[in-house]
Amino acid sequence: MDRFFSILATCPLFFNIGEEDFAALLSCLNAKTRHYERGEMVFRAEDPATHVGIVAAGAVDVVQEDFWGNRVILTRLTQGDLFGEAFSCAGVEKLPVSVMAVEDTAILLVDYRRTITTCSNACAFHTRLIFNMLRILASKNIALTRKIEFVTRRTTREKLLAYLSAQANEARRGEFTIPFDRQALAEYLAVDRSAMSAELSRMQREGLLTYEKNRFALKAPRDSS
Amino acid sequence: MDRFFSILATCPLFFNIGEEDFAALLSCLNAKTRHYERGEMVFRAEDPATHVGIVAAGAVDVVQEDFWGNRVILTRLTQGDLFGEAFSCAGVEKLPVSVMAVEDTAILLVDYRRTITTCSNACAFHTRLIFNMLRILASKNIALTRKIEFVTRRTTREKLLAYLSAQANEARRGEFTIPFDRQALAEYLAVDRSAMSAELSRMQREGLLTYEKNRFALKAPRDSS
DNA sequence: AAAAGGACGTTGTTTTTACAACAAGTTTGA
DNA sequence: TCAAACTTGTTGTAAAAACAACGTCCTTTT
């Protein structure tokens, strides 16, 4: 288990908790590392949402079954990723999704109640865990809201402009680099890659912006007077 | 202020807190009710994210300015709605949005730090507030994730099927009612209303489903053996 | 009960996208 | 260093969506 410490230390749930507290924390949380082979279920839809998981090694898919029985992969999680926290914190009775190992995988499972309940030992880190959990949920919230602002635009051009404008605002200047390559950006904005490429060059031709690889420059910036 | 109690009591942040504790809670949180006239700013972009607001009366718009200086309304909030909690909990330095009264409005402002910090009086409700805040953030998270699953589909038909399938799964049967009229559903799925109407009747003609007003029935359900 | 407004479906036209296929340029690694 | 794999841009075509305009039915208002 020792070798997972460095991975867990990078997980935002344990942010600002000293490594020296780790052993105590994991035992107080009754955390268990479990191993799964490819195809094994970590969580099963309809299970109660009592635990949160952290991918210590390997990868899992979060999958959902639709009304017709088709299995849809919602997302793939890898080392350091946290899952199940939203369902636990929201107090849902039954998980609406399953989590399945896509390869040999190690998962740290912790009981949700123990993380957000101050224990009888008055461990110092419980407060920190709660604070971290709030931050995790809130940050994800902001990221999801942002994404929705982009993907709910009707046209590829509008999606691009909304996204690029947000990036420019964040960078506080019209020139900036984005963390996606074209394929990833297209997936993020939920559009076709080649259509997006075409739209980008059209916009460049029209003088709205210039770009080269991941570096973009928006033109006609706001009057900053 | 008395007359706001019944409104605040319905706010999920104060869920499971007895009305008799309200006065103590509001003073402990240093909560202040402030009034704004149409057009007045409650929060201004770039302000530090130190407070959360609850709409006690009236309505506010959450607005954002894009790179070119265009003002975009992100959402309108009305009585009982909470705002600013994600930015506060995520610990963002500066608000990326402004909040503006769209009519005469009363807002209850509470200091974020006080809500999630156990006070020296050891008030019983702090634990409850934290728990409620976790639940609020997590529930919103789930709702946003769900919506993203719908709006990231490429075609109107796929969006509809994803949405209706989720509704059917939730109802645990192929027949169910939805909480939207056509216009609201179209906005939620980020598609054109008339195009969506057309798509719905096409799907009905093809035998995929039947509907009447808000009541839908999906056909060819999963084999539940 | 009549009028007005709203919700929903329908249709035709224009715009936009998805998709497929490919070329040029770049990166990787054997 | 050379080939393979990947990334990006380009183009044409078919499919889909947006948009606008309108008819019908239903609800609300007066």
Side-chain angles (χ1 to χ4, degrees), chain B residues 75-146:
Chain B
T75 177
R76 171 157 300 184
L77 303 174
T78 55
Q79 197 169 291
D81 287 338
L82 186 71
F83 59 92
E85 79 288 357
F87 299 119
S88 293
C89 294
V92 302
E93 353 59 60
K94 296 173 167 186
L95 285 177
V97 299
S98 301
V99 177
M100 193 178 70
V102 292
E103 59 189 67
D104 282 9
T105 294
I107 302 289
L108 184 79
L109 284 173
V110 314
D111 183 334
Y112 164 68
R113 298 221 140 267
R114 289 187 185 236
T115 60
I116 58 112
T117 310
T118 332
C119 72
S120 50
N121 309 3
C123 303
F125 40 70
H126 277 290
T127 309
R128 190 73 224 177
L129 281 175
I130 292 167
F131 192 78
N132 287 346
M133 186 66 93
L134 280 170
R135 181 168 288 221
I136 289 166
L137 290 171
S139 302
K140 197 160 193 175
N141 235 299
I142 292 170
L144 291 169
T145 304
R146 267 159 79 68

Side-chain angles (χ1 to χ4, degrees), chain A residues 148 151-152 190, chain B residues 147-153 159 188-190:
Chain A
I148 283 183
V151 297
T152 54
Chain B
K147 174 161 177 171
I148 283 182
E149 282 159 29
F150 308 144
V151 296
T152 54
R153 303 296 170 106
K159 291 180 187 188
Y188 179 73
L189 297 180

Side-chain angles (χ1 to χ4, degrees), chain B residues 6-70:
Chain B
S6 58
I7 294 151
L8 298 181
T10 67
C11 178
L13 184 57
F14 302 124
F15 180 69
N16 257 357
I17 293 178
E19 286 215 21
E20 67 280 8
D21 292 339
F22 255 60
L25 174 139
L26 293 181
S27 88
C28 174
L29 294 184
N30 195 26
K32 302 219 160 98
T33 308
R34 292 198 49 193
H35 294 264
Y36 300 86
E37 290 175 12
R38 173 189 172 79
E40 263 194 285
M41 290 299 203
V42 182
F43 292 161
R44 205 177 291 272
E46 313 284 296
D47 282 352
T50 55
H51 287 71
V52 303
I54 299 163
V55 182
V60 296
D61 277 347
V62 180
V63 300
Q64 189 166 33
E65 210 165 279
D66 71 15
F67 177 75
W68 298 273
N70 308 309

Side-chain angles (χ1 to χ4, degrees), chain A residues 101-153:
Chain A
V102 293
E103 59 190 64
D104 281 10
T105 295
I107 302 288
L108 184 79
L109 285 173
V110 315
D111 184 332
Y112 163 69
R113 297 224 141 266
R114 290 188 186 233
T115 60
I116 58 112
T117 311
T118 331
C119 72
S120 50
N121 310 1
C123 304
F125 40 69
H126 277 290
T127 309
R128 188 75 224 176
L129 282 175
I130 292 167
F131 192 78
N132 288 345
M133 187 65 96
L134 280 169
R135 181 167 289 220
I136 289 167
L137 291 172
S139 301
K140 197 158 194 176
N141 231 297
I142 293 170
L144 291 169
T145 305
R146 268 159 77 69
K147 173 161 178 169
I148 283 183
E149 283 159 28
F150 308 143
V151 297
T152 54
R153 303 297 169 105

Side-chain angles (χ1 to χ4, degrees), chain A residues 32-47:
Chain A
K32 301 217 163 101
T33 308
R34 292 197 48 193
H35 294 264
Y36 300 87
E37 291 176 13
R38 173 189 171 78
E40 262 194 286
M41 290 300 204
V42 181
F43 292 161
R44 206 176 288 273
E46 313 283 298
D47 281 352

Side-chain angles (χ1 to χ4, degrees), chain A residues 86-103:
Chain A
F87 299 118
S88 294
C89 294
V92 303
E93 353 59 57
K94 295 174 171 186
L95 285 177
V97 299
S98 301
V99 176
M100 193 177 71
V102 293
E103 59 190 64

